[in-house]
């Protein structure tokens, strides 16, 4: 079964913490509502955010997540 909302939010916070990403509530809400509800999908989304933030030299924010996920959805 896919994780419930509480578990999904906890997973996002944990995955971000593992990569030393400060995940504020806006980022957690955004990811929880727009990324597939599986552990693998969330792990890949956070990894992509981390890679892109390093490449762009920008912090991980809800706005950056929007830019990256929007670009993914257009492919």
């Amino acid at each position: 079964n896919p994780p419930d909302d509480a578990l999904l939010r906890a997973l996002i916070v944990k995955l971000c913490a593992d990569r030393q990403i400060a995940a504020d509530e806006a980022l957690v809400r955004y990811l929880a509502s727009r990324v597939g509800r599986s552990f693998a999908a969330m792990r890949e989304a956070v990894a992509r955010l981390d890679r892109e933030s390093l490449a762009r030299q920008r912090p991980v924010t809800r706005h950056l997540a929007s830019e990256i996920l929007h670009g993914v959805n257009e492919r």
Side-chain angles (χ1 to χ4, degrees), residues 11-72:
L11 175 64
I12 294 166
V13 170
K14 190 233 184 282
L15 290 171
C16 288
D18 288 348
R19 293 177 171 270
Q20 298 180 343
I21 297 171
D24 64 11
E25 185 59 28
L27 177 64
V28 173
R29 273 194 323 266
Y30 185 83
L31 292 175
S33 66
R34 288 174 176 80
V35 176
R37 297 187 67 87
S38 72
F39 295 113
M42 198 55 67
R43 185 175 44 243
E44 177 55 35
V46 171
R48 182 175 173 107
L49 284 172
D50 190 29
R51 285 191 307 269
E52 290 292 326
S53 73
L54 291 172
R56 297 178 187 198
Q57 298 182 342
R58 291 175 51 192
V60 175
T61 61
R62 194 213 59 81
H63 182 68
L64 180 64
S66 174
E67 288 177 15
I68 292 168
L69 294 179
H70 182 66
V72 169

